[in-house]
Structure formats: structure tokens, C-alpha cells
Amino acid sequence: MTVRPIVIHGEPVLHRRAAEVEVFDDELRTLVADMFETMDVSNGVGLAAPQIGVGLRIFTFHFPNDDDAPDRGVLINPVLVTSKVPGSAPDPDEDSEGCLSVPGENFPLRRAEWARISGVDETGKPLQFEATDWFARVLQHEYDHLDGKLYVDRLNDRWGRKARKVLKANGWGVPGLTWMPGVDPDPFGH
């Protein structure tokens, strides 16, 4: 297993729809193992393949839950269904979200409180489960990466303006920027 660099907002692969996985082979299983290793070393609760520069519809997750769902796994070519996203303003204390591709930053975002996801694992075995609350948020966040969206793209006007200022101040929004889990300081201070 290899820890891979995480690409930062502005890398083109983060801003386009990822391709369906069509071949389930040793190369795919190695990629998934590398994603788990990278997620773990970066202290993430999820990691999408585009975040390590691979434009495929794959994400890993590790989130203990009470939803009768696996605490850890991989979803390939997932399909996501959610409840309605509440229309109220996000609570900065309760709804703040972060992303390994927007390292060290957090902004409030409302998400659906329930999600059902289906897909397959790295062997092609079908998976399906439901998630609530923060676990549902994790699944929505990672799924968005597969559609070329980052959580900062979904912020309301107030928080979106603040995020754009932070992105600009950090020099992000351009290709070629990465950080290396386990080498660079943990941007979230874990």
C-alpha cells in the first residue's frame, strides 16, 4: 500500500465527473488499498479517487455508525438517494464540514439527514445500505466528489463568499497543488 498525495481545489480532476469503473482487476484492488492507506494516514473519514488524482467513481469511508451499515468500506460506481435537504441556514457549530482537498478549512453546509447508497466493492460484490446524520453527510460529501463537486461549491451565498476569499488567499484554484499525508503537517491538526 502506498500513501498518495492529495490534490487541492483547482486540480481539474476534482471539477469534472469521474468515469465509471469497468475493469475489476489487481490494479483496481491496489488503487483501493492505496486509497484506504491515504485516508487513514490523512485522518480522513472518507476519500474519493479524484482526490488522489484518479478520475474514477470510487470512494472509501471509515465512519463508525449506528445505521446497521459497515463502519469501513469502499463503494465503486455508487448510486445515492437522499432525503430533502433542509432549507434553513446551516449552523456553524453543528453543520461545519471540511475536506482533504480544501485542507485545514471548515465551512457550514446543510446536507440531507438520510441517504441510501448502492454500488459494488473492489471485487464487484453488490453493496447497499442506509445512513443517517453525520454518516449520511460523509456519503454525500464523497459522492459529490465523483460528480466533480466539492462542498465549497454547495455553500450558501454568505459562506460561499467567505470560502472564495479563503481559496484565493491560500493560492488555490489552480492545477498542480497537493499535500502529502504523513509528510506534510496535518492540516486539520489531528
Side-chain angles (χ1 to χ4, degrees):
M1 294 178 290
T2 302
V3 175
R4 299 201 191 187
I6 294 178
V7 299
I8 295 175
H9 184 282
E11 187 65 30
V13 70
L14 290 173
H15 305 285
R16 65 176 175 252
R17 188 178 194 282
E20 298 282 328
V21 173
E22 296 177 359
V23 178
F24 291 77
D25 58 7
D26 287 342
E27 186 175 332
L28 176 66
R29 286 183 280 285
T30 298
L31 172 61
V32 169
D34 290 354
M35 289 177 65
F36 276 117
E37 184 74 10
T38 303
M39 178 182 69
D40 292 344
V41 171
S42 66
N43 298 301
V45 296
L47 182 72
Q51 292 182 275
I52 58 168
V54 178
L56 292 173
R57 297 186 73 76
I58 307 168
F59 72 78
T60 56
F61 64 90
H62 184 196
F63 194 85
N65 65 84
D66 297 321
D67 291 316
D68 197 28
D71 289 347
R72 184 176 174 87
V74 60
L75 282 153
I76 299 173
N77 300 335
V79 175
L80 181 74
V81 176
T82 67
S83 59
K84 186 176 179 191
V85 176
S88 57
D91 181 325
D93 295 323
E94 300 293 323
D95 297 320
S96 283
E97 198 166 308
C99 178
L100 297 173
S101 291
V102 186
E105 304 297 336
N106 298 285
F107 296 100
L109 174 65
R110 292 301 306 254
R111 294 270 192 186
E113 295 177 5
W114 172 89
R116 179 177 51 236
I117 197 155
S118 58
V120 297
D121 69 11
E122 70 274 22
T123 68
K125 176 185 169 192
L127 301 167
Q128 180 173 302
F129 53 87
E130 296 180 5
T132 58
D133 302 320
W134 271 92
F135 188 35
R137 178 184 292 269
V138 169
L139 297 178
Q140 291 168 77
H141 179 110
E142 299 309 328
Y143 186 85
D144 273 354
H145 278 300
L146 307 184
D147 284 341
K149 294 205 180 311
L150 280 76
Y151 86 105
V152 293
D153 299 329
R154 293 194 176 277
L155 298 174
N156 67 19
D157 288 343
R158 174 185 176 200
W159 295 108
R161 279 191 303 276
K162 290 184 181 203
R164 285 188 294 279
K165 286 179 184 176
V166 167
L167 294 171
K168 185 176 181 180
N170 283 316
W172 299 336
V174 296
L177 302 176
T178 65
W179 69 277
M180 190 65 186
V183 174
D184 294 326
D186 184 328
F188 292 99
H190 296 107

